[in-house]
Amino acid sequence: MRVGRILLVERSITEQQLKLALRRQRETGGRLGANLMALGFVNERTLLKALEKHLDAKGVMLSEYPMDKEVLNLIPPEIARAYGVIPLKREGNVLYLAMINPTDVQVQDDIRFRTGCTVVPMVAVETSIEKVLKDHYETKALEDEVIGDIVFDDDSLEIVDEAEGEETVSDLAAQVDSGPVVEYVNYLLKKAVVEGASDLHVEPYEKDVRVRLRIDGVLRNYTPPPWRLHKAVVSRLKVMSNLKIQEKRQPQDGRFEARIDGRRIDFRISTVPTIFGEKVALRILDSESIEFDLSKLGFTEKGLQDTRIAIQKPHGIILLTGPTGSGKTTTLYSILREINKITVNISTAEDPVEYTLFGINQVQVREEIGLTFTSALKSFLRQDPDVIMVGEIRDKPTTDISIRAALTGHIVLSTVHTNSAAATITRVVNMGVAPFLMASTLELIISQRLVRKVCPRCKAPHKLSDEEIIKRGFRPEVFRGKEIFHGIGCNYCKGTGYKGRSGLFEVLAMSPIIRKMITEGATSDDIEEQAVKEGMETLRVEGLKKVLEGVTTIDEISRETMER
């Protein structure tokens, strides 16, 4: 029996679902199983069971199978892609092979000839095979495409000839300038920029190296260097950042700039010693790819209106909250850009200064020499400012000066680490600020998250059962009669189904009632309840709206928000 008929007989799908999948297959191509999965009618396990019966072959769940890099390297990437096969494991002279079509004898013969192994074919779901191919193989053609010349602004190195066990610094410096190391680092940096990564991690382990790129907020594996070149790769990055290559026992921080494809990219580097060597994290700052525009960040109409009203007031405190990587810096810079006029004097204290903005006096905090957020704020008050931005309120002295600045006629922008807008009030009060001062100076709190957007090129309707919706923490009735979407996975989104990110914003504007509640010591839950009555939308509610608008998926909202 065909796959569709098997699924019908087993009541895994309905006749209507099969018709919809066949219609989609005629319109977009591909196998029936892939279309059924894309529409959300079956999952990998259900489809695999049907394929086992259809092809009379044993199946393998690739999403749950641990991949062995040595076994994967038995078959060249271009051959694996051409045949749609994944080598799973090797036992002596026997190679277990996941295939889209395990009945294809010619493919088995070719793999047997190339590897010298007896092939045991196993069936796997096509979309799972494609995902493994994308995650674990990088073709030479792709390398040739992304490797290019990168001109670094500073490539100086003062070599200290000091023995380090079996390896001297001068020996390491020779490797640093070798062709393979320079080429790999250039390739890696350019690839990270081309892919739109925000961070790059190089992580050593006992006998392996892992390289990961954070793209759209999610870490993805990437082609690592050979383990023997790990030290040289790390040292190359340290040389470019003017760090000490002989210092491996202490963390170091630095930066460098590069021109890639005519764009000026800023890289911030952090190294930490681990038990297997130095781990490197690079933050990639591409100012040309970021548009500091409040209207394009993802605010709702009311949230944007409340924010613009608050930033145009003559004085008061505006706080942003959210976890690391939630886009607080981008929102702060967008606010600064909107109020940056010839008539406004703006000063900022940042750690680090991530982007430079013309017309704004930006100060880099350097705690090692005593230039802290607190000392910078004190100096700003003698510089005739209209607007002050301090990177983070983390202690009472900084909070006290911020409140004093707001009371004396200044707009103060800053960030606090809390889980919701209302919880920010409790957090600041717990730092020792009197509730009546908080009530009289606070104007606005923005809590935010970033969620991945559904890829526009492979966007398709997605149906979830009531049980699956409940499992993700939502009520099924919210979605009844409404269509939601997800991305199937394509070349444009690298098979992830997502492309780009959008902000979720919980905007709590002060009102007379909320100010009174703060003064009286109300709990964050009570303040949030009142804010919702006055029109505030929680992160969860905003997220659900974006799901129903087709902007993102229910999985993203479940991951980034919680029911309150």
Side-chain angles (χ1 to χ4, degrees):
M1 286 193 293
R2 293 183 176 273
V3 172
R5 180 55 54 185
I6 292 171
L7 290 169
L8 276 176
V9 170
E10 295 184 346
R11 297 185 178 180
S12 298
I13 60 172
T14 65
E15 288 278 3
Q16 181 63 24
Q17 288 174 332
L18 179 59
K19 289 179 181 178
L20 289 172
L22 289 170
R23 185 174 68 184
R24 190 178 189 281
Q25 184 183 30
R26 289 192 295 270
E27 294 172 351
T28 63
R31 295 174 183 267
L32 176 62
N35 283 281
L36 284 166
M37 286 186 66
L39 291 169
F41 296 154
V42 296
N43 56 30
E44 180 185 3
R45 191 177 300 279
T46 301
L47 179 58
L48 184 62
K49 288 180 179 178
L51 289 171
E52 286 178 319
K53 291 184 178 180
H54 172 57
L55 298 168
D56 192 23
K58 187 175 181 180
V60 57
M61 285 278 293
L62 291 184
S63 62
E64 300 175 358
Y65 196 90
M67 294 298 160
D68 186 324
K69 189 180 298 183
E70 291 185 6
V71 176
L72 287 168
N73 290 336
L74 290 174
I75 298 178
E78 61 274 15
I79 298 300
R81 290 179 185 277
Y83 288 156
V85 298
I86 302 293
L88 298 173
K89 65 178 178 178
R90 181 176 181 176
E91 294 180 348
N93 200 38
V94 177
L95 179 64
Y96 291 83
L97 191 69
M99 304 177 64
I100 296 173
N101 181 11
T103 64
D104 194 327
V105 179
Q106 289 184 341
V107 170
Q108 294 177 42
D109 288 343
D110 191 13
I111 298 299
R112 182 164 47 247
F113 175 77
R114 290 175 181 276
T115 63
C117 295
T118 300
V119 173
V120 176
M122 303 179 73
V123 63
V125 173
E126 181 181 14
T127 52
S128 299
I129 287 180
E130 289 175 352
K131 186 176 188 308
V132 175
L133 289 170
K134 287 168 182 167
D135 287 346
H136 294 277
Y137 284 112
E138 291 294 336
T139 64
K140 187 68 176 70
L142 181 59
E143 294 180 9
D144 294 339
E145 177 186 336
V146 299
I147 292 178
D149 292 330
I150 303 179
V151 182
F152 295 98
D153 291 348
D154 194 342
D155 195 19
S156 60
L157 169 64
E158 180 181 350
I159 299 177
V160 180
D161 194 1
E162 178 183 329
E164 292 193 354
E166 299 179 358
E167 189 174 41
T168 66
V169 174
S170 56
D171 291 336
L172 194 55
Q175 291 185 54
V176 164
D177 293 326
S178 68
V181 173
V182 172
E183 183 177 273
Y184 176 78
V185 172
N186 288 1
Y187 164 45
L188 187 58
L189 295 177
K190 184 169 183 180
K191 178 65 174 176
V193 172
V194 169
E195 293 289 339
S198 60
D199 300 89
L200 187 158
H201 298 264
V202 181
E203 305 162 323
Y205 295 94
E206 188 173 8
K207 292 183 179 180
D208 205 354
V209 182
R210 182 166 69 176
V211 173
R212 295 189 290 175
L213 301 178
R214 188 178 294 279
I215 301 173
D216 290 338
V218 177
L219 285 169
R220 304 181 194 172
N221 281 331
Y222 194 63
T223 309
W227 183 76
R228 60 184 174 81
L229 290 182
H230 167 255
K231 290 183 180 178
V233 168
V234 171
S235 295
R236 172 68 181 168
L237 291 167
K238 290 166 75 173
V239 166
M240 291 157 56
S241 311
N242 285 325
L243 302 181
K244 298 176 182 178
I245 65 170
Q246 74 272 21
E247 178 56 77
K248 299 181 180 181
R249 297 170 298 175
Q250 295 288 337
Q252 295 188 72
D253 297 302
R255 57 167 290 184
F256 63 92
E257 292 180 346
R259 286 188 292 274
I260 300 177
D261 291 340
R263 293 152 60 191
R264 190 166 180 167
I265 311 296
D266 193 16
F267 294 87
R268 304 295 167 86
I269 183 173
S270 173
T271 69
V272 294
T274 73
I275 59 174
F276 297 119
E278 287 183 285
K279 177 188 181 300
V280 174
L282 284 173
R283 170 60 58 89
I284 303 164
L285 303 172
D286 182 3
S287 58
E288 294 183 22
S289 68
I290 296 180
E291 191 172 8
F292 298 119
D293 187 339
L294 274 178
S295 63
K296 296 181 180 179
L297 298 183
F299 278 95
T300 62
E301 186 175 341
K302 183 181 185 304
L304 183 60
Q305 181 183 9
D306 287 344
T307 301
R308 283 179 164 156
I309 289 172
I311 64 179
Q312 295 301 329
K313 291 185 177 181
H315 53 78
I317 297 177
I318 297 170
L319 296 177
L320 275 76
T321 182
T324 301
S326 60
K328 297 187 297 295
T329 299
T330 300
T331 304
L332 279 173
Y333 278 34
S334 298
I335 290 173
L336 291 175
R337 183 171 181 178
E338 184 144 324
I339 60 180
N340 184 17
K341 300 180 177 62
I342 193 68
T343 57
V344 180
N345 182 13
I346 304 174
S347 294
T348 73
E350 305 172 57
D351 185 21
V353 176
E354 295 197 3
Y355 302 99
T356 57
L357 300 176
F358 179 78
I360 295 176
N361 308 291
Q362 296 172 268
V363 173
Q364 169 69 57
V365 168
R366 297 180 61 191
E367 295 193 357
E368 69 274 12
I369 63 171
L371 181 53
T372 63
F373 285 126
T374 304
S375 62
L377 275 172
K378 288 179 179 178
S379 298
F380 289 165
L381 293 177
R382 296 190 289 270
Q383 291 281 321
D384 184 34
D386 297 300
V387 177
I388 295 171
M389 192 270 273
V390 55
E392 182 183 351
I393 289 179
R394 59 177 71 158
D395 52 35
K396 191 173 186 299
T398 308
T399 308
D400 289 342
I401 298 173
S402 299
I403 287 176
R404 190 171 73 193
L407 288 170
T408 53
H410 306 89
I411 285 286
V412 179
L413 302 169
S414 191
T415 67
V416 181
H417 286 285
T418 58
N419 291 324
S420 68
T424 304
I425 298 168
T426 305
R427 171 83 174 99
V428 176
V429 170
N430 286 342
M431 288 182 185
V433 177
F436 77 91
L437 286 176
M438 192 81 250
S440 59
T441 56
L442 191 60
E443 291 296 335
L444 189 80
I445 303 173
I446 301 172
S447 178
Q448 67 180 86
R449 302 289 189 274
L450 286 177
V451 293
R452 293 181 293 173
K453 295 195 292 187
V454 176
C455 175
R457 298 190 184 178
C458 60
K459 186 175 182 179
H462 184 46
K463 185 173 179 59
L464 291 172
S465 67
D466 287 356
E467 291 75 16
E468 289 173 311
I469 291 173
I470 292 170
K471 185 178 179 181
R472 288 162 171 81
F474 297 92
R475 297 189 303 275
E477 58 267 21
V478 174
F479 300 95
R480 290 214 176 99
K482 296 172 183 175
E483 196 170 44
I484 60 176
F485 296 85
H486 75 158
I488 302 169
C490 62
N491 290 333
Y492 181 62
C493 63
K494 300 294 186 293
T496 64
Y498 297 97
K499 190 68 175 178
R501 289 192 288 178
S502 177
L504 299 180
F505 298 92
E506 184 176 282
V507 182
L508 197 165
M510 291 298 106
S511 68
I513 296 176
I514 292 177
R515 291 189 195 277
K516 183 180 179 182
M517 292 177 72
I518 295 172
T519 303
E520 294 173 348
T523 66
S524 58
D525 289 342
D526 290 338
I527 292 172
E528 181 176 289
E529 185 179 345
Q530 178 60 33
V532 170
K533 288 179 182 177
E534 295 178 6
M536 183 189 83
E537 292 183 340
T538 64
L539 290 168
R540 190 79 158 186
V541 171
E542 268 220 36
L544 285 173
K545 285 187 175 181
K546 288 189 184 293
V547 170
L548 296 175
E549 290 168 1
V551 174
T552 189
T553 66
I554 188 172
D555 289 322
E556 279 293 285
I557 303 306
S558 178
R559 183 169 65 93
E560 291 293 341
T561 69
M562 60 183 180
E563 189 69 51
R564 298 202 304 271

